Amino acid sequence: MTTLDRIKAPVATQLDRYEVYLRESLHSDDPLVNDMVAYVLASRGKAIRPLMALLGAAMYCDGKELPPSSYMAAMMLEMIHTATLIHDDVIDEAFTRRGKASVNALWMSQRAVLVGDFILARSFRAGMESGDYDIVEYITRVMPALVEGELMQSRQSDRLEMTREIYEQIIYRKTATLIGTSCGVGAMSAGAPLAEIERMKEIGDAAGMAFQIKDDILDYGPSATTGKPLCGDLRERKITLPLLTVLEHASACERKEIIALLSGIRTRPSNVERLHSIVVERGGLGMAQAVMEEYIARAACLLDKCPPSQYRDSLRELILYIASREK
């Protein structure tokens, strides 16, 4: 299986420069803020979004050094994502993130919210100071969608209702559009033509849809592998694609039984195991996998139309990595 280190290799130097820029941009003279930010940066995940932005920029730089705007865009994208995760952990009262204590577990919710706000504020200050207002505007378009996606999912969880159309709208807003923006803004920062920027955005959108579906599949996997609690979404009464595909193929009676199990899941923990078994036994994971692979194929097909380069090859490997990862 392709490793992230291999994928990152063509932009390894640029990633090192990005890390320096990121830490300088978020530095604070206040010791508490600096300690909290340092912990957040040390606890980051795979940094898929900035990697996509830098690969997207490198594809259109003709071998030249990336412009400062590429690093600024990558930083804004990753820190928007990071701040939303901090705020999500506060809302969900989650005390772990990627197998480590969450920020709110270490510093309490009030300070966690504030450090998330600090990260957003510093990111936007860097964007405005750069003078690249078109790039900042392009990135900020995504922010209302992130909130809308979470609110839509919360509403559907309360109602215990979901359709394929609504599910796709939710995951596009909460995940795919930020990944799509990462690819698009990378090309934009390198001065790519509008048609190429739009194609890169489409590639990222498709990869982002696959990314979230893969996350929804992994939610049913062993926590020892994923680093997350088994069926965390089910425990919050979220109907994601593995369960949705089962509901789509269920009779009216079976659907009623499944929804009843989901309705009582917060007071009857044993319902988690029953629903997990239903999804596995009725092929929900396989059906969700097939949908994910369709999005991966779409992203790969669009990528074939981009100029050939080692950066395009790495972006292709990154898209395939999204589909094959285990956590």
Side-chain angles (χ1 to χ4, degrees):
M1 185 175 119
T2 299
T3 64
L4 269 180
D5 285 342
R6 175 178 166 181
I7 293 167
K8 292 176 179 178
V11 288
T13 300
Q14 291 86 347
L15 284 166
D16 289 341
R17 291 172 182 165
Y18 165 73
E19 286 296 321
V20 172
Y21 174 82
L22 174 63
R23 293 176 189 280
E24 289 177 348
S25 298
L26 297 182
H27 175 76
S28 171
D29 292 331
D30 184 284
L32 175 60
V33 176
N34 226 28
D35 286 347
M36 294 177 75
V37 169
Y39 183 81
V40 169
L41 295 183
S43 305
R44 283 176 295 163
K46 303 175 185 68
I48 297 293
R49 293 154 192 83
L51 177 56
M52 282 188 159
L54 295 180
L55 284 171
M59 283 172 60
Y60 295 96
C61 273
D62 297 323
K64 300 175 184 176
E65 174 53 50
L66 300 189
S69 57
S70 299
Y71 300 106
M72 179 273 292
M75 184 270 290
M76 285 191 68
L77 288 159
E78 185 176 21
M79 290 303 102
I80 288 171
H81 175 63
T82 298
T84 61
L85 293 182
I86 294 171
H87 291 160
D88 284 350
D89 285 344
V90 172
I91 293 168
D92 298 338
E93 298 182 349
F95 297 114
T96 60
R97 166 68 61 179
R98 302 188 181 101
K100 298 177 66 175
S102 61
V103 177
N104 52 298
L106 292 176
W107 286 283
M108 297 183 293
S109 295
Q110 182 183 29
R111 289 178 175 175
V113 170
L114 291 172
V115 80
D117 292 345
F118 173 84
I119 288 170
L120 282 176
R122 277 298 179 87
S123 300
F124 277 86
R125 189 179 82 173
M128 296 306 291
E129 287 178 346
S130 74
D132 293 303
Y133 303 127
D134 56 338
I135 289 176
V136 175
E137 191 273 335
Y138 185 83
I139 292 171
T140 56
R141 291 180 199 171
V142 78
M143 296 188 73
L146 298 176
V147 179
E148 290 167 353
E150 293 294 344
L151 287 173
M152 287 177 66
Q153 187 165 61
S154 176
R155 181 179 63 234
Q156 298 307 121
S157 296
D158 290 341
R159 295 175 177 176
L160 291 177
E161 295 176 356
M162 187 62 72
T163 65
R164 182 70 68 97
E165 180 181 4
I166 293 173
Y167 171 79
E168 290 177 347
Q169 289 176 12
I170 288 170
I171 68 170
Y172 176 76
R173 285 173 167 83
K174 66 177 279 189
T175 300
T177 188
L178 189 60
I179 292 178
T181 298
S182 300
C183 287
V185 81
M188 175 185 283
S189 71
L194 179 59
E196 296 293 321
I197 295 169
E198 291 176 347
R199 182 187 297 129
M200 289 293 289
K201 174 71 163 61
E202 289 183 40
I203 291 167
D205 284 346
M209 295 292 282
F211 186 96
Q212 185 58 56
I213 293 170
K214 182 65 174 184
D215 262 5
D216 293 344
I217 293 170
L218 290 173
D219 190 56
Y220 287 81
S223 56
T225 301
T226 65
K228 300 178 182 179
L230 178 68
C231 295
D233 288 335
L234 275 182
R235 295 174 197 276
E236 296 175 13
R237 309 200 322 172
K238 294 176 182 177
I239 301 175
T240 59
L241 193 57
L243 178 57
L244 178 59
T245 57
V246 170
L247 288 169
E248 288 173 341
H249 291 82
S251 66
C253 183
E254 290 170 334
R255 184 181 178 88
K256 184 176 180 181
E257 177 187 355
I258 291 169
I259 295 299
L261 288 169
L262 192 60
S263 177
I265 207 163
R266 289 171 179 162
T267 56
R268 299 184 182 90
S270 61
N271 287 9
V272 175
E273 294 179 9
R274 292 183 64 187
L275 284 167
H276 181 274
S277 296
I278 288 171
V279 169
V280 172
E281 291 168 4
R282 300 193 183 185
L285 300 180
M287 288 187 283
Q289 177 82 13
V291 176
M292 182 202 69
E293 289 173 356
E294 290 176 5
Y295 280 111
I296 291 292
R298 171 171 172 73
C301 182
L302 287 167
L303 191 59
D304 285 340
K305 300 176 183 178
C306 296
S309 68
Q310 61 176 330
Y311 308 110
R312 187 187 73 170
D313 293 343
S314 274
L315 184 56
R316 180 187 302 281
E317 290 186 1
L318 180 57
I319 291 168
L320 296 176
Y321 173 86
I322 285 171
S324 61
R325 65 197 169 95
E326 296 182 355
K327 59 182 179 179

